[in-house]
Amino acid sequence: MHDLRENHKAEFTVGLRTGIPIGIGYFAVSFSLGIIAKNCGFSVFQGFLTSLTSYASAGQYIGFTLYGAGATLWQLVIMMIITNARYLLMGAALNQKVREGTPLRHRILIGLSITDEIFGVSIARPGYASPFFGAGCWISAMSMWSVGNALGIAVGNILPDRAVSALSVALFGMFLASIIPPIKKDKVIGIAIAASFAASYLYATLPDTRDMSSGNRTIMLTIIISTAFAVIAPRRNEAPKVAETEEESGDGSEGGNREMRAKVDGVAEGGNREMRAKTLEGGCGNAN
Amino acid sequence: MQINIYVWIIVMALATGATRVLPMILIRKPIENQFIQSFLYYVPYVTLAVMTFPAIMDATQVPAAGALALVGGIAAAWLGAGLFGTAATCCIIVAVTELFMV
């Protein structure tokens, strides 16, 4: 082991580099999100600020549209918690990789670095979760995310309608990239997605519900459908209690993350770490 | 009455940040309740699916372009196009479709 400070610096640098490809993907999506933000009444600076402080694709989409729809702060808070509930799961999963005795400020930093993609690369990395790696990733990825959003607001509206129309589906493409691949591992997810599409369509068209705001529709349907599936198809694994939970936490994450997690399995490392990797996959009880 | 936009942005950031940080602070042990686990497991898929459809058909100039983008996006994601690839596929499908329909 090197000097600790050197180590932190190295992890930060690796994080910076890892964040670049993530940021390129973010840029395209946040640009199209900027077009939506603009329509909802956000200026270039306000959009930049939102992206820098919230950095959540689905969350920002909901946040922008709720504002545009004149929703209340309570609706906003409830929707942010529901839309970003996956971060609670990711945090719980990443928690298992935090070295014991890590100072609280470092734990908080690790938590703050979480996005779908940064979580993915963090959980897949061998060894303990590093606040410095997370911070490096965050800086690369989020600078592109925020600038993309600001640019989308600034020049999104001088683009021809045709281009705006095409770009506006980028966000939905990103959602699909998150929810579709996990179906390969768990067919029930596919059924849940199909049910969600159908229910969402019905709610948007039936006379009794079509006037409901899209935010409220999302809250209601998320609670109803997730509860229904939790009852009808509870996550199995009656096996060792602790291991079960950890697998669940991981599986709850989205697309790329699940693949990343699968890779964790293949990362053979020094004793304790290997044990941790396995524990994260739910392959054995919590032996520590 | 419209809420001050900066208040909105701050509340949004705090609520979002809380979901990131709370598990790190509060949960030192894994969640054991099977119902909560299962519920949370389905939440991301359901939320994103509900937000995607039928909204994708309202985002485009003609609904059919959005519908095709949905189908193409699902196919691209299934085939492993990834974040950027899937988003790009959807955009291209809409651009091409509207070239003929608008």
Side-chain angles (χ1 to χ4, degrees):
Chain A
M1 273 296 163
H2 307 286
D3 171 33
L4 207 57
R5 190 173 292 263
E6 274 301 303
N7 222 356
H8 291 170
K9 226 172 131 182
E11 288 186 325
F12 182 73
T13 314
V14 173
L16 278 179
R17 236 179 282 135
T18 309
I20 292 171
I22 296 177
I24 293 171
Y26 281 178
F27 183 90
V29 171
S30 72
F31 184 90
S32 76
L33 195 55
I35 297 169
I36 294 165
K38 162 114 189 160
N39 292 337
C40 296
F42 283 69
S43 72
V44 173
F45 174 71
Q46 288 157 353
F48 180 80
L49 193 65
T50 309
S51 295
L52 201 61
T53 53
S54 286
Y55 49 100
S57 60
Q60 275 177 240
Y61 170 71
I62 288 285
F64 290 144
T65 49
L66 281 182
Y67 181 81
T72 65
L73 284 175
W74 280 117
Q75 285 177 308
L76 176 69
V77 170
I78 292 168
M79 265 325 286
M80 285 307 101
I81 291 168
I82 289 181
T83 317
N84 298 319
R86 64 188 189 281
Y87 294 145
L88 291 169
L89 281 174
M90 292 177 189
L94 205 51
N95 226 335
Q96 312 303 316
K97 284 193 77 173
V98 176
R99 189 201 295 265
E100 273 175 57
T102 298
L104 187 63
R105 62 177 193 284
H106 285 177
R107 298 180 73 92
I108 290 175
L109 208 58
I110 293 171
L112 282 177
S113 74
I114 295 175
T115 68
D116 298 337
E117 290 70 26
I118 296 179
F119 167 80
V121 294
S122 300
I123 201 87
R125 259 183 109 230
Y128 293 112
S130 157
F132 304 96
F133 174 80
C137 258
W138 189 92
I139 289 172
S140 293
M142 288 318 146
S143 46
M144 293 202 239
W145 173 256
S146 307
V147 169
N149 196 235
L151 271 178
I153 296 173
V155 301
N157 66 329
I158 56 169
L159 293 175
D161 285 352
R162 202 180 285 288
V164 173
S165 182
L167 282 171
S168 64
V169 295
L171 180 70
F172 300 116
M174 196 169 100
F175 291 168
L176 292 173
S178 297
I179 63 177
I180 298 298
I183 301 173
K184 291 175 188 168
K185 282 188 191 164
D186 183 358
K187 300 239 173 344
V188 182
I189 292 172
I191 299 168
I193 292 169
S196 303
F197 281 166
S200 179
Y201 183 75
L202 284 178
Y203 260 63
T205 47
L206 289 179
D208 286 341
T209 50
R210 71 177 165 215
D211 295 328
M212 187 187 275
S213 73
S214 62
N216 281 340
R217 194 203 317 162
T218 309
I219 299 175
M220 272 192 73
L221 289 179
T222 298
I223 294 172
I224 294 170
I225 298 170
S226 301
T227 303
F229 274 85
V231 172
I232 299 166
R235 302 290 296 139
R236 61 279 172 200
N237 296 340
E238 261 57 83
K241 265 193 167 174
V242 180
E244 158 195 7
T245 316
E246 282 162 343
E247 188 185 21
E248 298 313 321
S249 324
D251 278 356
S253 58
E254 289 173 58
N257 310 327
R258 303 191 79 203
E259 285 164 30
M260 291 291 187
R261 290 187 63 79
K263 283 184 205 152
V264 174
D265 217 4
V267 179
E269 275 221 321
N272 181 33
R273 289 178 177 183
E274 186 177 2
M275 174 74 85
R276 278 181 166 266
K278 278 187 188 161
T279 307
L280 280 164
E281 286 301 315
C284 63
N286 190 349
N288 308 348
Chain B
M1 183 200 71
Q2 187 64 287
I3 297 152
N4 181 296
I5 197 161
Y6 291 98
V7 173
W8 188 270
I9 293 170
I10 291 167
V11 169
M12 203 170 142
L14 290 178
T16 307
T19 61
R20 292 187 166 105
V21 167
L22 284 181
M24 285 293 165
I25 298 173
L26 299 180
I27 309 172
R28 304 287 169 112
K29 279 189 197 170
I31 303 161
E32 304 234 350
N33 182 300
Q34 200 193 14
F35 174 77
I36 295 176
Q37 273 179 41
S38 303
F39 176 79
L40 290 175
Y41 171 78
Y42 290 112
V43 161
Y45 306 108
V46 173
T47 310
L48 294 180
V50 166
M51 288 197 301
T52 300
F53 186 76
I56 194 168
M57 299 199 305
D58 297 328
T60 50
Q61 296 183 85
V62 284
L68 285 173
L70 177 69
V71 175
I74 290 173
W78 181 266
L79 296 172
L83 186 78
F84 186 74
T86 307
T89 303
C90 291
C91 294
I92 292 166
I93 288 174
V94 170
V96 172
T97 309
E98 293 191 344
L99 211 58
F100 294 106
M101 295 184 70
V102 178

